[in-house]
Amino acid sequence: MQARKKYIFLTFLASWLLLFFFGVDQLRRFAFFSGRKAEARRNWPHWTDRSLLKNFADPEELQRDGEHSLLSPQERRASQLSVYKNSRCRMETCFDFSRCEKNGFKVFTYPRERDQPISESYSKILTSLERSRYYTPNPEEACLFILSIDTLDRDHLSRQYVRDVDEKIRGFPLWNGGRNHLIFNLYSGTWPNYTEDLGFDIGQAILAKASFDTERFRPGFDISIPLFSKDHPQRGGERGWLYQDSLPPKKKYLLVFKGKRYLTGIGSGTRNALHHIHNGKDIISLTTCKHGKDWEKHKDTRCDKDNVDYEKFDYQELLHNSTFCIVPRGRRLGSFRFLEALQAACIPVLLSDGWELPFAEVIDWGKAAIVGSERLLLQIPSAVRCIHPERVLAFQQQTQFLWDAYFSSVDKIVHTTLEIIKDRLSLHRSRSRFLWNSLPGGLLVLPDFSTYLGDFPFYYLQHASSPSQKFTAFIRAVSQAGSLSQPILRLIQAVSGSQYCAQILVLWSCEKPPPPSGKWPQTTVPLTIIQGRRKLSDRFFPYGAIQTDAVLSLDEHTSLSTSEVDFAFVVWRSFPERIVGFPARSHFWDPEQRRWGYTSKWTNELSIVLTAAAFYHRYYHSLFTEYLPAGLRELVDGLAACEDILMNVLVAAVTKLPPIKVTQRKQHRETVPQQVKGTAGAAGSRRFSQRQDCLNQLVDWFGYMPLVSSQLRLDPVLFKDQVSVLRKKYPRLEK
Amino acid sequence: IMCASAKYNTRGPALIPRMKTKHRVYYITLFSIVLLGLIATGMFQFWPHSIESSSDWTVEKRSVHDVPVVKLPTDSPIPERGDLSCRMHTCFDVYRCGFNPKNKIKVYIYSLKKYVDEYGTSVSNTISKEYNELLTAISDSEFYTDDVNRACLFVPSIDVLNQNSLRIKETAQALAQLSRWDRGTNHLLFNMLPGGPPDFNTALDVPRDRALLAGGGFSTWTYRQGYDVSIPVYSPLSGEVDLPERGPGPRRYFILSSQMALHPEYRSELEALQAENGESVLILDKCTNLSDGVPAVRKRCYKNQVFDYPQVLQESTFCVVLRGARLGQAVLSDVLQAGCVPVIIADSYILPFSEVLDWKRASVVIPEEKMPEMYSILQSIPQRQIEEMQRQARWFWEAYFRSMKAIALATLQIINDRIYPYAAISYEEWNDPTAVKWSSVSNPLFLPLIPPQSQGFTAIVLTYDRVESLFRVITEVSKVPSLSKLLVVWNNQNKNPPEGKSLW
């Protein structure tokens, strides 16, 4: 009996709960509607005569717009030139495009003067410019000019402030009202209001400035650069701190800030409010009042407690362990914090109203940062909590990509600035926003090569296309014989037998002229001889004859079979951005000599695939010849054998991935080491040490070691499996 | 993880057969109450929908001529001229928008009124067809609110699409007397044809104080980046003519110019191009000897040949869009509709929706000075890229140009994205045509990272019943030095995993 009562009671309860659960919401809605029935949602009326309404403009008038103007187009342009100057400069009114037409985009830096002190940062900028592939020492052929006067710090209280810039500039015959000049600046204005004034007349010069205010920014003309410290590396640069994608992408803290709180003056409003969102658990927002000499004068009641809390946490620790980092304005709009958070993969939450974000002309910051509003600080915690984990993950990766592509060194910052200007000069040959914002980034995509996505090795998946079905075999012949050797004949036969081969190119780099066309073997595919200039870097020149996406690079001594070529090409089509090939080498760190080592020994790792037999994308020829500065190619031309290492370093620097080794037949001889042992030991070891030197010089030039090691080799699916030979696609590989 | 098998309640079902009649009555009443409750719930569920659908009847059915008339005294206040330094953080009151879970701004539309001056002369046409369509679109969208107190953005019903059809001072006065005007804060004006003869300003001349302007034909000097929105000039032909999408590929002409009333200087430059490159360049003009009744807007002529407009645009790979007196041209919309790649020659023009659209993928911009080089510039574009641009051009038209509704919603979305940037629509969503969105692959782990070895790996073993072989696998796998954790998923719900530490 007891049990039954219990059940009845329970059922009652359950049914009431059910009714309550579904009913209340409905009832509320019902009440809402009955209440509003009298004045239901007032939409925009459907006018009875809406079809009779007139058009906003007479269609003919709309198409004939233009008959009333009095000025001719030329007159209008001329009048604009005089009106839109200085603070209203745009490229079309303040920049002389004709200077860039004859010699292309060339950059001239004023010679440095002895008595002129230059800050460390500015000297790095000048070095970057001088090392750039756009540099010219001749002002006659220059398109863009950069002063040797240090204009980075224009806070006149600062020690690095240069006086009388106006006078000095007026003395330069090349100044020309600032036309085609680019001025770099990190700090402008000073206490108390930090105006954006530089303290001299920049005239019609382009200003590349940190902490740019949108109001002063001349869109499409000026460039906003990030604030970087004097310790920012010249080249290479540290990599980002995201070493692995963690799922879910949560870290210990959700949102952190640790920094100064200004008690008075500009920017204090935002920083004073930051402590409100501190909850001591997942949101840590700490401020200190200690800054400047007389902070105690303005001290308020919070200061003492805040200062104590402040010491409890370590800035670096917070940076490493938080998903989001608040980047509020300081006295100026930008701060070091921005780049620090970016590098740390701590998604920046910007509280800096009116800041023209660094390189915002090309970078889509909406993918890497949360652009908050200073006025809505208190909404930030709930806003960031609502962001889905998959977006957080995408944000984190994008911070790392942007950091590495545009910010991690002074070189990159300077080059991004130059490339943005270059893109403006010929709009039809410029990078789309997509190219700037996806891997590997705008600096590594040369619009002079192509503006079509499908021509690059990086975008096949996103673009839903695939690399071409054929390849071009590119054989370098250097033998001094003057006639055709057996190996090269055999190689041509083997390669032309491949079903994927479109054509064979022979780069003839010998003193003697190539044999007449009758001497060459008959092949089913076209065979072309190119006369080289007898430089080692020739083999990576972007010859117009190479029309396929894939290039099979070969040496004349290489011995390959048709199946090997076929299989390697199929592998390459799956990895079109990497080098796919046969003989491999590796690098290692030699702790005793404190330098990088290079080895051709049989090891279980590889990081270099020799271009004596390798597939890669033809775009790398363009990168090699046009992206790398001339100095680097000269270095390679001066050494006996280094160009293939440079190619591997370049591809690894672009992709951040190791090359791929495919399987090869057993009897394939390692030609190079054989020669070394066989011919002359001394010559061989000299060659070897040259390669090692070269590797170290390249590392020095790039600023880091780009090569990535791998333990992977790809074999055909049934390779060496105990099944009938007839089932195998590449049976000849096993012979 | 050991998945605990579900425990069934074994006592429940046995209850019913043992019930007495008295209790059965109880239960029947109880169940009927529950049933009734559920039915009522269901009915409520459907009821409101019928109310909503009937809300159409409550929409006012009136003529635009019946709207209330407002008389503007001559001395009624005029707003300040537009402030060029306005930005979202200085001139926009973001507190009105608030934090809401849907991240949608609320837009209010003022009711329609007819404004007359002291002498009873009307200030402008009450409302144009296009502006009515635009306001209807906003009203039907999820941005709309009819509650002026909850609104974040206000759209006046005063039609300023075409500056030439209104009286500037009086229109400004009409704006100033709007109930929530407050110096124009959070007010949005739509204008497509700004300026008037002789100098044709590139932004609306009506003084509007802090109001945001969605304008067609901004130049880089009048456009307040991040505040104003650049919109297209709507072409009425979009609604009238149905041009089916034409597959990308080579067309009969390479370059086509279809604009009437070009400045003679431009025309002579185009003709020079034609003289140089022959038949592949076609320069059309208005027809002089059309028979009556044929609308001049729908025909174009070259010498004695007559072409249908805008159909002829589909015959060309590139179509020139030159500036006229104004920077924004309605022909851009026609060109995009035809899937012709626009060649935009209008220095300092801010392209429509340039804040979010990547025009480099759909158009070629050539400086006016470089017009003579146009042919060689266009020749240098790879064929496959041209095909992609043709597809992209058509997509832009379909998504953002084809109707006033599309224009209105894109504008509101852009403003919405500025206010809720963390919920903003991405570059891909704005720019990728639907076909590309479906076919392309984007890796959620796109950064090339090689996970550190130190962390090791986690082994997951799925098992059902065979404990012995499970233990064998565990023993083998645990020998691997880089194993950091081993998870066993026990998939047998009828049996508990073996207990006791010793067994494992």
Side-chain angles (χ1 to χ4, degrees):
Chain A
M1 203 58 204
Q2 281 294 326
R4 237 168 261 169
K5 261 188 189 161
K6 223 187 318 182
Y7 280 114
I8 291 166
F9 188 70
L10 265 175
T11 329
F12 240 117
L13 209 73
S15 56
W16 272 112
L17 266 175
L18 256 174
L19 254 180
F20 197 73
F21 194 76
F22 285 107
V24 162
D25 183 46
Q26 297 296 333
L27 275 174
R28 204 200 295 141
R29 248 207 264 177
F30 191 67
F32 176 71
F33 264 95
S34 59
R36 291 194 35 154
K37 234 177 190 170
E39 33 135 22
R41 193 171 125 125
R42 283 168 309 174
N43 276 351
W44 182 252
H46 289 229
W47 306 105
T48 47
D49 47 358
R50 60 181 181 274
S51 53
L52 301 174
L53 291 174
K54 278 202 220 158
N55 284 105
F56 77 108
D58 173 45
E60 200 172 333
E61 189 193 304
L62 203 57
Q63 288 188 0
R64 299 168 66 96
D65 165 59
E67 283 182 322
H68 313 281
S69 59
L70 297 173
L71 290 175
S72 82
Q74 277 190 8
E75 287 165 343
R76 178 170 33 77
R77 289 201 293 270
S79 73
Q80 280 187 349
L81 285 187
S82 55
V83 176
Y84 297 114
K85 277 171 133 181
N86 301 333
S87 69
R88 300 207 275 174
C89 264
R90 298 293 184 272
M91 289 303 269
E92 57 262 41
T93 58
C94 293
F95 195 87
D96 184 0
F97 286 84
S98 65
R99 288 207 73 111
C100 314
E101 265 157 28
K102 216 168 89 206
N103 300 299
F105 186 64
K106 290 280 173 212
V107 180
F108 170 78
T109 56
Y110 282 60
R112 301 191 203 186
E113 283 162 41
R114 286 267 172 77
D115 54 334
Q116 194 75 66
I118 287 184
S119 68
E120 214 174 311
S121 298
Y122 200 61
S123 142
K124 279 182 188 167
I125 289 179
L126 291 179
T127 313
S128 287
L129 289 163
E130 282 152 13
R131 276 161 38 95
S132 141
R133 63 183 187 278
Y134 300 122
Y135 177 72
T136 175
N138 178 9
E140 289 295 308
E141 59 180 36
C143 157
L144 197 63
F145 298 82
I146 287 104
L147 297 175
S148 59
I149 302 173
D150 185 353
T151 50
L152 283 189
D153 195 344
R154 300 303 296 162
D155 181 341
H156 65 80
L157 298 180
S158 157
R159 229 181 299 148
Q160 283 164 339
Y161 182 81
V162 181
R163 274 161 220 291
D164 310 321
V165 175
D166 262 328
E167 259 171 54
K168 283 176 191 149
I169 285 175
R170 250 174 271 140
F172 295 133
L174 292 169
W175 174 247
N176 189 20
R179 254 176 125 74
N180 291 31
H181 279 65
L182 173 64
I183 289 172
F184 286 94
N185 174 261
L186 292 182
Y187 311 95
S188 64
T190 186
W191 174 261
N193 46 18
Y194 297 87
T195 58
E196 302 233 337
D197 188 29
L198 288 196
F200 67 97
D201 183 15
I202 61 165
Q204 307 187 37
I206 299 175
L207 185 58
K209 183 178 168 320
S211 309
F212 233 126
D213 186 340
T214 42
E215 258 180 60
R216 297 283 296 234
F217 185 76
R218 296 169 291 182
F221 191 70
D222 288 329
I223 293 173
S224 177
I225 59 170
L227 184 64
F228 59 89
S229 71
K230 66 180 192 335
D231 306 320
H232 209 57
Q234 172 83 59
R235 58 190 106 161
E238 260 183 76
R239 52 169 297 185
W241 294 351
L242 187 73
Y243 290 107
Q244 63 192 91
D245 292 312
S246 57
L247 291 165
K250 282 243 165 80
K251 299 194 195 165
K252 189 172 165 193
Y253 305 111
L254 177 73
L255 184 65
V256 299
F257 173 77
K258 187 183 177 196
K260 287 177 201 161
R261 175 155 74 94
Y262 307 126
L263 296 165
T264 52
I266 191 165
S268 59
T270 307
R271 293 219 168 182
N272 264 336
L274 281 170
H275 66 83
H276 286 297
I277 59 166
H278 176 84
N279 68 5
K281 290 182 218 117
D282 61 346
I283 299 180
I284 306 293
S285 182
L286 305 163
T287 51
T288 176
C289 303
K290 286 183 194 164
H291 65 92
K293 280 164 248 159
D294 52 352
W295 68 273
E296 282 185 320
K297 251 195 269 170
H298 303 285
K299 179 171 157 176
D300 59 19
T301 47
R302 291 195 57 88
C303 275
D304 289 327
K305 185 182 170 294
D306 280 356
N307 288 352
V308 172
D309 284 343
Y310 187 83
E311 301 302 332
K312 285 185 194 156
F313 290 87
D314 177 53
Y315 177 67
Q316 292 293 326
E317 199 258 341
L318 290 175
L319 207 55
H320 271 277
N321 294 302
S322 179
T323 316
F324 294 92
C325 281
I326 300 182
V327 180
R329 60 167 300 162
R331 294 295 193 197
R332 298 185 179 87
L333 291 170
S335 55
F336 295 121
R337 202 179 287 279
F338 180 65
L339 282 192
E340 285 163 0
L342 205 64
Q343 179 182 15
C346 185
I347 303 162
V349 177
L350 303 167
L351 294 175
S352 189
D353 287 351
W355 183 20
E356 173 73 24
L357 295 179
F359 305 134
E361 186 174 338
V362 294
I363 292 179
D364 186 356
W365 282 107
K367 287 184 162 185
I370 311 289
V371 186
S373 161
E374 283 179 45
R375 293 180 288 178
L376 299 180
L377 168 72
L378 298 183
Q379 291 184 6
I380 295 289
S382 41
V384 296
R385 268 184 225 282
C386 289
I387 298 173
H388 283 279
E390 62 265 29
R391 279 198 73 202
V392 172
L393 189 67
F395 270 121
Q396 285 175 344
Q397 294 176 78
Q398 192 75 2
T399 59
Q400 299 298 282
F401 153 58
L402 292 176
W403 162 258
D404 187 66
Y406 306 116
F407 298 105
S408 65
S409 66
V410 177
D411 250 12
K412 285 175 186 163
I413 294 173
V414 168
H415 271 98
T416 310
T417 313
L418 293 183
E419 293 292 342
I420 289 175
I421 297 174
K422 183 166 177 274
D423 263 7
R424 294 172 185 167
L425 298 181
S426 52
L427 287 172
H428 62 282
R429 283 225 160 269
S430 60
R431 304 161 177 91
S432 68
R433 243 181 132 72
F434 171 82
L435 293 178
W436 281 104
N437 291 288
S438 43
L439 281 159
L443 300 188
L444 293 166
V445 172
L446 305 177
D448 290 326
F449 168 73
S450 173
T451 39
Y452 175 63
L453 291 186
D455 283 340
F456 293 96
F458 315 116
Y459 312 113
Y460 290 117
L461 279 180
Q462 287 137 295
H463 187 248
S465 61
S466 53
S468 63
Q469 306 270 358
K470 300 265 177 181
F471 68 84
T472 300
F474 189 84
I475 307 172
R476 185 179 61 167
V478 283
S479 68
Q480 302 303 320
S483 62
L484 292 171
S485 57
Q486 274 306 310
I488 194 168
L489 292 176
R490 244 181 290 145
L491 186 62
I492 290 174
Q493 285 304 342
V495 168
S496 66
S498 165
Q499 51 177 318
Y500 306 113
C501 184
Q503 60 169 341
I504 298 175
L505 297 178
V506 179
L507 175 66
W508 193 261
S509 280
C510 320
E511 268 174 58
K512 292 176 187 156
S517 54
K519 291 266 174 105
W520 292 89
Q522 292 294 314
T523 51
T524 47
V525 292
L527 188 143
T528 320
I529 320 291
I530 298 171
Q531 188 72 52
R533 292 165 305 158
R534 306 196 55 234
K535 279 188 179 169
L536 284 170
S537 55
D538 267 2
R539 78 177 305 171
F540 300 125
F541 186 81
Y543 295 101
I546 306 175
Q547 286 294 330
T548 56
D549 288 338
V551 177
L552 170 60
S553 169
L554 297 163
D555 275 356
E556 56 187 325
H557 304 293
T558 311
S559 116
L560 279 181
S561 72
T562 308
S563 335
E564 284 171 308
V565 170
D566 279 349
F567 176 63
F569 180 65
V570 170
V571 171
W572 176 83
R573 291 199 70 214
S574 300
F575 302 96
E577 79 276 35
R578 305 211 221 170
I579 299 182
V580 174
F582 300 93
R585 300 285 180 270
S586 60
H587 75 285
F588 60 94
W589 176 249
D590 187 344
E592 277 167 29
Q593 297 191 38
R594 302 193 52 76
R595 66 200 296 250
W596 291 97
Y598 165 88
T599 174
S600 62
K601 288 196 187 111
W602 298 104
T603 61
N604 285 305
E605 288 208 334
L606 69 111
S607 54
I608 295 170
V609 161
L610 298 183
T611 53
F615 278 101
Y616 51 79
H617 199 282
R618 79 181 163 118
Y619 176 58
Y620 289 121
H621 275 227
S622 288
L623 268 188
F624 189 95
T625 309
E626 274 139 40
Y627 171 75
L628 295 176
L632 212 50
R633 278 194 307 280
E634 278 159 25
L635 167 83
V636 166
D637 284 334
L639 295 166
C642 181
E643 78 286 355
D644 53 347
I645 298 185
L646 176 54
M647 189 53 147
N648 271 278
V649 167
L650 173 67
V651 176
V654 171
T655 60
K656 321 247 179 302
L657 293 169
I660 289 179
K661 179 177 166 63
V662 286
T663 197
Q664 57 197 116
R665 275 185 308 166
K666 269 258 172 69
Q667 65 264 45
H668 178 89
R669 281 182 307 152
E670 286 286 323
T671 49
V672 179
Q674 285 290 322
Q675 270 184 341
V676 168
K677 279 174 208 153
T679 50
S685 70
R686 202 183 66 224
R687 193 185 127 96
F688 189 79
S689 75
Q690 261 196 357
R691 279 173 88 78
Q692 189 143 319
D693 282 346
C694 160
L695 183 64
N696 280 290
Q697 285 188 52
L698 294 183
V699 169
D700 180 51
W701 199 91
F702 276 82
Y704 70 111
M705 168 49 94
L707 291 175
V708 185
S709 291
S710 155
Q711 301 185 359
L712 178 82
R713 187 186 77 183
L714 292 182
D715 298 336
V717 178
L718 293 181
F719 188 61
K720 302 245 160 128
D721 276 353
Q722 299 294 323
V723 290
S724 158
V725 177
L726 296 172
R727 282 185 178 275
K728 298 190 177 183
K729 198 168 177 193
Y730 307 100
R732 290 173 154 272
L733 283 183
E734 294 172 29
K735 279 184 184 163
Chain B
I1 295 163
M2 309 285 182
C3 292
S5 61
K7 283 179 186 163
Y8 295 111
N9 197 332
T10 46
R11 283 177 296 173
L15 181 75
I16 294 160
R18 283 191 275 129
M19 273 194 310
K20 284 180 186 169
T21 8
K22 195 174 118 195
H23 294 118
R24 206 172 285 159
V25 176
Y26 265 130
Y27 278 105
I28 287 170
T29 34
L30 256 175
F31 278 121
S32 46
I33 287 173
V34 173
L35 207 69
L36 264 172
L38 281 173
I39 289 171
T41 319
M43 274 179 66
F44 281 138
Q45 205 107 80
F46 291 103
W47 214 333
H49 289 289
S50 59
I51 290 175
E52 261 172 309
S53 66
S54 70
S55 69
D56 261 4
W57 307 329
T58 59
V59 163
E60 298 164 89
K61 290 269 179 184
R62 290 188 287 146
S63 158
V64 282
H65 299 293
D66 302 339
V67 296
V69 177
V70 179
K71 192 175 254 185
L72 298 166
T74 331
D75 56 347
S76 71
I78 304 176
E80 302 262 317
R81 276 196 64 83
D83 181 359
L84 267 181
S85 65
C86 260
R87 292 293 180 273
M88 288 309 263
H89 67 278
T90 54
C91 292
F92 194 86
D93 181 5
V94 75
Y95 297 118
R96 284 182 180 279
C97 307
F99 178 77
N100 66 59
K102 277 190 185 163
N103 295 321
K104 286 271 179 219
I105 52 169
K106 291 270 164 238
V107 183
Y108 175 81
I109 307 176
Y110 287 99
S111 58
L112 188 63
K113 296 205 173 104
K114 187 180 168 70
Y115 294 92
V116 294
D117 62 12
E118 272 194 343
Y119 312 103
T121 329
S122 67
V123 165
S124 62
N125 295 333
T126 317
I127 190 165
S128 67
K129 194 174 163 208
E130 282 79 9
Y131 201 55
N132 181 50
E133 284 170 16
L134 183 136
L135 294 182
T136 310
I138 296 178
S139 160
D140 292 343
S141 75
E142 47 185 340
F143 293 111
Y144 181 70
T145 177
D146 61 351
D147 185 352
V148 73
N149 293 315
R150 291 174 61 197
C152 149
L153 198 64
F154 302 87
V155 180
S157 57
I158 304 166
D159 180 357
V160 292
L161 280 183
N162 182 354
Q163 189 185 316
N164 285 348
S165 64
L166 50 86
R167 289 158 66 188
I168 289 174
K169 184 188 147 208
E170 286 78 7
T171 308
Q173 286 174 327
L175 286 174
Q177 55 76 50
L178 291 172
S179 58
R180 300 287 170 123
W181 178 250
D182 183 24
R183 299 186 59 204
T185 314
N186 292 23
H187 279 62
L188 174 64
L189 303 181
F190 286 89
N191 167 256
M192 286 181 176
L193 298 178
D199 51 350
F200 287 96
N201 190 359
T202 53
L204 181 67
D205 280 318
V206 176
R208 52 185 190 280
D209 216 334
R210 297 169 141 195
L212 294 124
L213 183 60
F218 276 118
S219 87
T220 150
W221 291 287
T222 48
Y223 178 66
R224 295 169 290 183
Q225 203 164 10
Y227 193 65
D228 290 327
V229 182
S230 176
I231 59 169
V233 180
Y234 176 70
S235 165
L237 289 180
S238 294
E240 287 171 28
V241 189
D242 179 38
L243 285 183
E245 183 170 2
R246 202 176 147 168
R251 308 267 161 101
R252 190 160 157 215
Y253 304 104
F254 188 59
I255 301 176
L256 178 110
S257 161
S258 66
Q259 283 166 287
M260 303 193 281
L262 285 178
H263 194 279
E265 213 177 283
Y266 289 140
R267 190 165 287 279
S268 68
E269 284 195 61
L270 287 174
E271 275 161 4
L273 274 178
Q274 192 180 25
E276 230 173 274
N277 302 293
E279 298 248 302
S280 60
V281 182
L282 181 65
I283 315 291
L284 299 173
D285 201 352
K286 60 174 175 269
C287 298
T288 44
N289 48 357
L290 275 183
S291 53
D292 289 341
V294 182
V297 236
R298 301 291 302 276
K299 294 285 172 198
R300 291 289 187 278
C301 288
Y302 172 64
K303 290 181 182 164
N304 291 324
Q305 278 175 283
V306 184
F307 296 88
D308 283 332
Y309 184 86
Q311 286 81 353
V312 65
L313 296 172
Q314 290 201 312
E315 300 299 320
S316 178
T317 307
F318 291 101
C319 294
V320 179
V321 179
L322 264 164
R323 64 165 294 164
R326 299 187 182 90
L327 284 165
Q329 296 287 317
V331 68
L332 176 61
S333 173
D334 300 337
V335 166
L336 294 174
Q337 183 182 12
C340 185
V341 180
V343 179
I344 294 157
I345 306 177
D347 287 0
S348 77
Y349 176 42
I350 303 287
L351 284 160
F353 302 128
S354 59
E355 187 170 332
V356 290
L357 299 190
D358 191 346
W359 279 96
K360 280 179 191 167
R361 285 169 64 177
S363 70
V364 185
V365 177
I366 295 180
E368 289 176 40
E369 300 263 2
K370 295 231 174 145
M371 255 179 89
E373 295 158 46
M374 174 158 67
Y375 196 86
S376 57
I377 288 176
L378 298 179
Q379 279 284 322
S380 72
I381 301 173
Q383 181 58 35
R384 285 185 296 173
Q385 190 184 353
I386 292 176
E387 286 170 17
E388 211 161 271
M389 289 169 121
Q390 289 171 330
R391 227 169 306 159
Q392 191 77 13
R394 175 75 184 195
W395 152 252
F396 276 1
W397 178 78
E398 276 171 10
Y400 311 112
F401 280 69
R402 78 179 303 160
S403 61
M404 290 304 287
K405 180 181 177 183
I407 296 173
L409 296 186
T411 309
L412 293 184
Q413 188 63 50
I414 288 175
I415 297 172
N416 194 72
D417 285 358
R418 292 180 191 156
I419 292 165
Y420 306 108
Y422 39 84
I425 286 187
S426 71
Y427 170 92
E428 285 75 17
E429 285 168 274
W430 281 108
N431 288 287
D432 286 350
T434 338
V436 173
K437 277 183 196 135
W438 281 104
S439 58
S440 68
V441 181
S442 62
N443 180 3
L445 305 175
F446 57 85
L447 197 70
L449 285 179
I450 296 169
Q453 233 166 10
S454 57
Q455 209 192 13
F457 67 93
T458 305
I460 301 177
V461 187
L462 183 71
T463 184
Y464 182 76
D465 209 5
R466 291 184 292 174
V467 179
E468 268 166 54
S469 71
L470 169 69
F471 285 173
R472 214 163 37 237
V473 168
I474 291 175
T475 337
E476 283 305 310
V477 171
S478 57
K479 284 179 194 161
V480 179
S482 46
L483 176 76
S484 75
K485 196 185 251 178
L486 203 141
L487 294 184
V488 176
V489 180
W490 187 261
N491 217 12
N492 187 348
Q493 301 217 335
N494 298 322
K495 205 165 141 186
N496 284 336
E499 280 171 41
K501 278 261 185 262
S502 55
L503 270 171
W504 287 89

